[in-house]
Amino acid sequence: METHETLPQIISVDDHAVEPPEVWQDRLPAKYRDTGPRIVRAPLKEMTFVGGKFAPKMGAPGDDGPLADWWVYEDLHRPLTRLDTAVGYSRDEIRLEGITYEQMRPGSFSVPERLADMDVNHVQSALCFPTFPRFCGQTFTEAKDRELGLLGVRAYNDWMVEEWCGPQSRGRLIPLTLVPLWDPELAAAEVRRNAARGVRAVCFSEIPPHLGLPSIHTDHWDPFLRACDETGTVIAMHIGSSSKMPSTSADAPPAVGSTITFANCCFSMVDWLMSGTFDRFPNLRIMYAEGQIGWIPYILERADTVWEENRAWGGVADKVLRPPSELFTDHVHGCFFDDASGLRNLDAIGVGNVLYETDYPHSDSTWPRSRQVAEEQMGHLPGEVVERLVRGNAIELLGLTGEGLWGVSAPVS
């Protein structure tokens, strides 16, 4: 690439939306408004993040401590944090602290400001993961009241489709929905409900057993998987979607886990490749958000060796009918935002299996330099390959228009 102007506009497959305070209050039945998710401003007494565990303590009115906006839902008290929305702050200013909506960049929760921040970053369209529900809706999965939990999932999806990705986004925001993970039949119904209005991606856990749910080696998930297979709905798994970030010990500093965030994606991908799922659901496609891609070539090499040499005693001879690397090519997408090592080994991964992301507004985000980062790391690649990585593969996977938009053909200003 010779100049900055040669980089096509980016389609980011991993950004994040911070839900506005009224998402559930505006959509839940009246009887649930006092128990459903709602925002309360209160002091933050203490907050730690050690060994992959996040532990905040909410103070009472009048207590000492900085004020934060808290999501309150059943027994859960979860503050908004600087890590939820760190863009616009220098790296040295980003700390684990509670914040209010006024202390975050408005593009975190407001569509017009989000589009403006996308313009600054050379981003045309973006797929956004949740914040309060967590990356695959664990907040509702852990709740006691299943009826309210299901209503909470549906309310989020309605907000995502009708408001966040509604007309004011002009097709530039791409919907990503949740399912009630505690019931695969209800999950299938929610996939189909949203697919009928054009949604092509759904959140799921990278390692369901970490959430107390069955693994994908069982047939438990078949109704959900069948719905995704039949509707062309991509299963999107974000790091942290098993509520257990990788770490080495309870006293390991967060920097340890931050370095190995890809590890659960690695474990998860091997699970899927050795599960027989892709042979049973041949149209299924999955993607790993924020997992980066540099680790993929060796895992595919090792998986093929195990499949070839050890499948008889390894328990996969009768269900994994092709080499795992072939299954990967047809079914799996890795997502990255800063991975020069992976791009040097792109041939071993596959040009068609890689997607680009910016991670706005998180602390790892390359905003507002995503364009420059892409050009620096992809400068050795042919222009047609760069186009596929930064937008072409996403257009195909997510069923976008040829212009890279969701659900509309209106031009982007």
Side-chain angles (χ1 to χ4, degrees):
M1 295 182 292
E2 298 176 357
T3 66
H4 286 309
E5 284 69 33
T6 60
L7 185 79
Q9 277 198 304
I10 296 164
I11 296 177
S12 173
V13 297
D14 171 31
D15 286 356
H16 300 266
V18 176
E19 300 81 18
E22 68 277 0
V23 168
W24 287 275
Q25 291 295 295
D26 284 355
R27 290 168 179 80
L28 290 175
K31 68 175 182 177
Y32 283 124
R33 286 179 192 150
D34 291 337
T35 54
R38 58 208 181 277
I39 285 290
V40 173
R41 186 161 292 186
L44 174 65
K45 292 184 66 176
E46 181 184 356
M47 182 158 56
T48 60
F49 186 72
V50 178
K53 297 290 185 181
F54 175 55
K57 292 184 179 179
M58 181 178 179
D63 284 353
D64 292 335
L67 288 177
D69 282 336
W70 296 71
W71 282 106
V72 177
Y73 172 44
E74 293 191 340
D75 296 332
L76 176 66
H77 298 83
R78 195 275 196 201
L80 299 176
T81 76
R82 178 57 61 210
L83 300 187
D84 292 329
T85 171
V87 292
Y89 287 76
S90 73
R91 299 293 181 180
D92 290 338
E93 292 176 325
I94 299 170
R95 296 179 173 84
L96 185 61
E97 61 182 351
I99 60 171
T100 65
Y101 279 93
E102 290 81 4
Q103 293 172 303
M104 68 175 71
R105 192 171 183 87
S108 304
F109 59 89
S110 168
V111 170
E113 283 84 359
R114 172 60 63 94
L115 298 184
D117 279 353
M118 289 163 61
D119 290 340
V120 168
N121 204 29
H122 198 60
V123 173
Q124 180 188 15
S125 305
L127 183 81
C128 297
F129 282 82
T131 298
F132 168 70
R134 313 216 302 277
F135 295 141
C136 67
Q138 301 103 298
T139 297
F140 297 111
T141 302
E142 295 166 358
K144 300 181 181 70
D145 186 332
R146 292 297 195 208
E147 180 181 357
L148 175 55
L150 179 59
L151 290 172
V153 167
R154 290 175 174 167
Y156 175 86
N157 292 341
D158 291 343
W159 168 80
M160 168 61 60
V161 175
E162 299 166 6
E163 190 168 332
W164 185 252
C165 302
Q168 66 173 335
S169 82
R170 305 195 304 280
R172 298 180 62 188
L173 296 174
I174 307 161
L176 173 64
T177 52
L178 302 174
V179 293
L181 290 171
W182 59 90
D183 187 321
E185 293 285 356
L186 289 176
E190 189 63 11
V191 167
R192 296 183 192 278
R193 182 176 84 96
N194 292 306
R197 46 185 178 173
V199 176
R200 287 286 300 274
V202 64
C203 300
F204 191 65
S205 174
E206 57 200 353
I207 307 178
H210 285 344
L211 304 181
L213 299 168
S215 80
I216 61 162
H217 298 289
T218 70
D219 61 2
H220 173 85
W221 297 105
D222 281 11
F224 166 72
L225 298 175
R226 186 173 299 108
C228 293
D229 178 87
E230 292 176 355
T231 61
T233 299
V234 180
I235 296 175
M237 292 171 282
H238 195 285
I239 61 167
S241 58
S242 56
S243 297
K244 186 177 181 181
M245 291 297 290
S247 191
T248 55
S249 64
D251 57 354
V256 172
S258 185
T259 302
I260 57 174
T261 52
F262 70 90
N264 281 347
C265 298
C266 174
F267 301 155
S268 174
M269 191 178 82
V270 175
D271 248 355
W272 282 81
L273 294 177
M274 296 298 189
S275 68
T277 301
F278 296 133
D279 289 299
R280 294 189 296 116
F281 299 102
N283 299 315
L284 204 60
R285 310 279 283 278
I286 68 174
M287 57 173 269
Y288 287 100
E290 210 173 321
Q292 313 301 339
I293 59 174
W295 51 273
I296 291 175
Y298 175 69
I299 291 299
L300 294 179
E301 177 184 323
R302 176 60 183 165
D304 278 359
T305 298
V306 169
W307 181 82
E308 189 67 43
E309 303 292 338
N310 300 333
R311 64 177 178 264
W313 66 264
V316 295
D318 60 343
K319 61 181 180 179
V320 182
L321 307 181
R322 290 189 290 153
S325 60
E326 291 186 16
L327 296 173
F328 174 89
T329 298
D330 290 344
H331 298 278
V332 185
H333 288 76
C335 310
F336 80 102
F337 56 78
D338 186 5
D339 192 340
S341 177
L343 289 170
R344 287 194 295 270
N345 292 282
L346 188 60
D347 288 346
I349 302 169
V351 171
N353 297 88
V354 176
L355 305 166
Y356 196 54
E357 58 185 50
T358 75
D359 197 32
Y360 179 105
H362 284 182
S363 61
D364 261 342
S365 178
T366 51
W367 186 92
R369 297 189 64 256
S370 300
R371 178 185 199 167
Q372 292 91 323
V373 171
E375 288 172 342
E376 290 164 4
Q377 296 190 350
M378 300 183 200
H380 64 291
L381 298 172
E384 62 272 17
V385 171
V386 174
E387 192 279 338
R388 290 190 69 183
L389 299 183
V390 303
R391 63 182 288 111
N393 290 337
I395 289 173
E396 185 276 329
L397 184 66
L398 299 172
L400 306 180
T401 68
E403 295 78 19
L405 303 174
W406 175 73
V408 299
S409 57
V412 175
S413 59

